[in-house]
Amino acid sequence: MTTQSAPLFTATVLGSPRIGPNRELKRAVEKYWSDRIGRAELDAVAATLRGDTLRQLADAGLDSIPVNTFSYYDHMLDQSVLLGTLPPRVAPVTDELDRYFAAARGGTYDGVDIAPLEMTKWFDTNYHYIVPEIGPDTTFMLNPAKILAELDEASSVGVALRPVIVGPITYLALSKAVGGADAPIGRLDELVGVYAELLELLADKGVGWVQIDEPVLVTDNVDNAGALAERVYSRLGGLAKRPAVFVATYFGELTDALPALARTPIEAIGVDLVYGGVDALSAVPALAGKTVVAGVVDGRNIWRTDLAAALDTLDTVTRAAGNVVVSTSCSTLHVPYSLERETGIDEALRSWLAFGAEKVTEVVALAKGFAQGRDAIAAEVETSNAAVASRRVDPRLNNADVRSRIAEIRSAGATNRGQAADRRAAQEARLNLPPLPTTTIGSYPQTTEIRVARADLRAGKIDDATYQQKMRDEVAAVIKLQEELDIDVLVHGEPERNDMVQYFAEQLEGFFATQNGWVQSYGSRCVRPPVLFGDVFRPAPMTVAWTSYAQSLTARPVKGMLTGPVTILAWSFVRDDQPLADTAAQVALAIRDETVDLERSGVAIIQVDEPALRELLPLRTRQKQEYLMWSVEAFRLATAGVRDDTQIHTHLCYSEFGEVIGAIADLDADVTSIEAARSHMEVLDDLNAVGFSNGVGPGVYDIHSPRVPNTDEMTTALREALAAVPAERLWVNPDCGLKTRKNDEVVESLRHMVEAAKTVRAER
Ligand code: GLN
Ligand code: ZN
């Protein structure tokens, strides 16, 4: 098929969820990994899921359907297979699928340990992709088996199919140079040759359209994005034999890449009109000759589309574009399958929501209204208007008390604590800790017993009192263990928490916890983000009973454990009707109320975790400063309600801290524990460079591995740390919570950690 004969389409989505409405893929893949099912059974589950998705999209009325959007683990890893870039260390694994899983997860094959590829966050979503490795010897070689098989399998549905691939600029920008290779983006022209080969092949197979995803073009992560886009798509667009090319961008607004793409011979450009504005389109006259795929339905959040507003946006697009297609802003991979599966939502809240299936319906309705006039979808628009109106007046979204309390705290300057030095003196007098105090990050192993108890409670096999007692026993055991280990600042161990965000969301007003709202986080791991829909407040204390029970068992200080406002936002579906900053302040107020109650109950140390501080950092440089301002303010609002002699800790992990290091200092926590075991204490130098002068606990060992560290290596780490930080400021702790570890690993590791602290103390 040639470009000219590819029929236009009117309604589509950029991709779909793939883990299965009941997490069927997760279960099947995990069974395959543990040899409980074979390849045939796994493939059958996958084929059923693909078939169901396809039929649902076609039945709903989309006239172009994405394929190659299924994945056994991750679409970036699939792209690495397609381009032939898997690293040589996985080559000995002979079976193709097992090799793929070895790249994703590592493992032992024929007695040889294979390290997995790294995993990192996909832009600013909670999805994680497998980072391609580009070494000096990496070659590119087309391996189109998966894409061809999925096309073939789908061909019977009778709707136009559109293979989706990750674009070359995004692929290389998100890759990592290994083995001393130069930055991967330098290999762009070479890689584009493989894309050219693929496009020819797809044209031979009769494919009308191909979707090439280039989300990196909405970020500031590549230099000269516009010039690169123009070079790549001029070349691919200039191929004599190819399908029509649709370059999809999402998660934000294009700047100079938009006119650049419009200058190339490609047929369609996808723009995100939920997270980017529509006005920029009119400044690009060349769009008059293009199809604009208008992402007007939010693909990554769960709110119902305001259809009337979306139709207005589409009208604006029409004035700039030659042709308009209605679409989601990005793949709906990031939202749950369908609202139909949710029970226990009140009707008002339900009417404000749209999950994956509902978003497809919205796209189809909008395409119809756009083509035939608003009257053609009068009923749908009416329902949408009613939802918009009810959301606007619902009292749960506008709590005067919450709002005035925040205003009062701000105007009283009560988001700041006393001087750090005064706080330190007051806390030293109250706590009387040894130099280099030892502590842990909060959680102790979530043992099988704990998990079984939680499942039994949910299934009604045990009553709440029995469950509470089991958890209290667990707390008592953890306190006893820490005393035996001679740790200085204890924790209760967090046995009662399923998840550090959901636990709080379940107790706060303004949140709704879904029953079935699973989304893929990475591989077979799924999460169920709570929906933050209203003004947030804390109707009752959330953690005080647990912490004060733990404190009652010991004379040593027990640290209260809370999750910070930014992390709660980062791991939830957050309301889109007010700035994130305002929502963060409300969550912060609820946490503040909890800190005050903890203090009142006699707790002297409170940790407010912010592991996700880096995660919400905007993709565009010009928006970063504003984010850092409000996220820091939220933390301070949450923590400045306590007295000077109450010690505030925070904990950060999971990321490169470079861009947020100044913000970490600005949090002004008395003690910051920070992941550092893998970055060799560099983080301390970085903190010094921004004038950080409070307490700091650089993780002295990596809890992400089952390996038990010996005393010497931690002694060495502490001596290194003392070169950067005086002993009065240095804390000793692991680099993250211990919940994923086994009990005996934890006991041994902590024993060594305490020994190391004592050794270094004695050297002073
Ligand atoms: N307090 C939490 C825990 O120990 C912190 C978890 C995290 O950093 N993600 O589990
Ligand atoms: Zn952590």
Side-chain angles (χ1 to χ4, degrees), residues 351-352 381-391:
S351 78
W352 307 334
V381 172
E382 198 181 316
T383 311
S384 157
N385 287 345
V388 171
S390 99
R391 200 173 160 199

Side-chain angles (χ1 to χ4, degrees), residues 340-597:
E340 258 169 41
R341 313 170 46 77
E342 285 305 320
T343 50
I345 317 186
D346 65 85
E347 281 315 303
L349 175 52
R350 178 182 291 275
S351 78
W352 307 334
L353 301 175
F355 289 1
E358 292 77 27
K359 287 177 189 294
V360 175
T361 311
E362 291 180 337
V363 165
V364 171
L366 283 168
K368 185 173 172 197
F370 179 65
Q372 303 171 19
R374 293 181 189 222
D375 289 349
I377 56 162
E380 288 90 335
V381 172
E382 198 181 316
T383 311
S384 157
N385 287 345
V388 171
S390 99
R391 200 173 160 199
R392 203 167 282 149
V393 299
D394 194 290
R396 292 174 295 176
L397 276 66
N398 197 340
N399 182 312
D401 180 49
V402 168
R403 288 166 186 259
S404 67
R405 284 189 61 209
I406 292 170
E408 276 162 31
I409 289 171
R410 283 185 175 144
S411 66
T415 55
N416 296 317
R417 302 188 68 199
Q419 293 299 315
D422 298 342
R423 285 163 15 213
R424 188 175 314 144
Q427 292 160 19
E428 266 167 24
R430 179 174 180 191
L431 292 167
N432 199 15
L433 295 167
L436 285 86
T438 51
T439 191
T440 56
I441 305 305
S443 58
Y444 271 71
Q446 286 264 333
T447 59
T448 317
E449 264 189 313
I450 295 175
R451 269 191 276 257
V452 168
R454 193 153 26 249
D456 285 352
L457 175 69
R458 238 180 295 132
K461 283 196 211 157
I462 57 174
D463 61 9
D464 196 54
T466 311
Y467 173 75
Q468 300 283 335
Q469 190 51 49
K470 280 180 189 284
M471 296 302 122
R472 283 163 70 94
D473 293 347
E474 183 64 31
V475 169
V478 166
I479 293 289
K480 183 154 166 272
L481 170 67
Q482 294 171 93
E483 288 199 320
E484 278 165 15
L485 290 168
D486 201 15
I487 292 177
D488 300 306
V489 171
L490 312 193
V491 295
H492 79 286
E494 306 178 25
E496 79 289 7
R497 300 186 190 177
N498 40 4
D499 171 277
M500 65 185 289
V501 168
Q502 193 169 350
Y503 181 75
F504 291 96
E506 280 169 2
Q507 301 187 68
L508 290 168
E509 292 297 331
F511 279 92
F512 170 73
T514 70
Q515 306 278 304
N516 235 303
W518 294 100
V519 294
Q520 187 179 18
S521 173
Y522 62 88
S524 70
R525 177 156 167 81
C526 302
V527 293
R528 214 165 21 139
V531 176
L532 194 175
F533 68 91
D535 277 9
V536 173
F537 65 93
R538 187 198 69 142
M542 304 181 283
T543 66
V544 176
W546 294 107
T547 312
S548 48
Y549 171 63
Q551 185 65 82
S552 75
L553 301 173
T554 178
R556 300 176 189 228
V558 173
K559 186 161 64 161
M561 279 296 147
L562 305 173
T563 302
V566 176
T567 299
I568 290 181
L569 254 52
W571 296 347
S572 301
F573 288 120
V574 180
R575 63 192 291 187
D576 61 352
D577 59 340
Q578 65 181 17
L580 273 185
D582 295 356
T583 308
Q586 296 182 355
V587 178
L589 179 62
I591 301 299
R592 180 185 181 105
D593 288 345
E594 188 72 8
T595 62
V596 170
D597 279 343

Side-chain angles (χ1 to χ4, degrees), residues 441 611 651-654 675 704 735-737:
I441 305 305
H651 167 68
L652 297 127
C653 58
Y654 299 142
E675 182 176 2
H704 301 92
D735 71 352
C736 197

Side-chain angles (χ1 to χ4, degrees), residues 236-283:
L236 292 177
L239 293 172
K241 191 169 68 174
R242 63 170 175 85
V245 171
F246 159 32
V247 174
T249 68
Y250 41 87
F251 300 147
E253 189 165 318
L254 290 168
T255 50
D256 48 336
L258 180 62
L261 285 170
R263 282 192 293 270
T264 72
I266 62 168
E267 284 69 25
I269 301 168
V271 289
D272 181 337
L273 298 175
V274 177
Y275 296 89
V278 69
D279 297 337
L281 300 190
S282 59

Side-chain angles (χ1 to χ4, degrees), residues 619-638:
L619 301 173
R620 289 289 192 191
T621 311
R622 66 186 141 76
Q623 292 158 354
K624 289 182 181 172
Q625 202 47 43
E626 190 195 339
Y627 163 74
L628 293 172
M629 297 257 297
W630 68 250
S631 57
V632 166
E633 199 237 17
F635 183 88
R636 286 175 162 240
L637 205 164

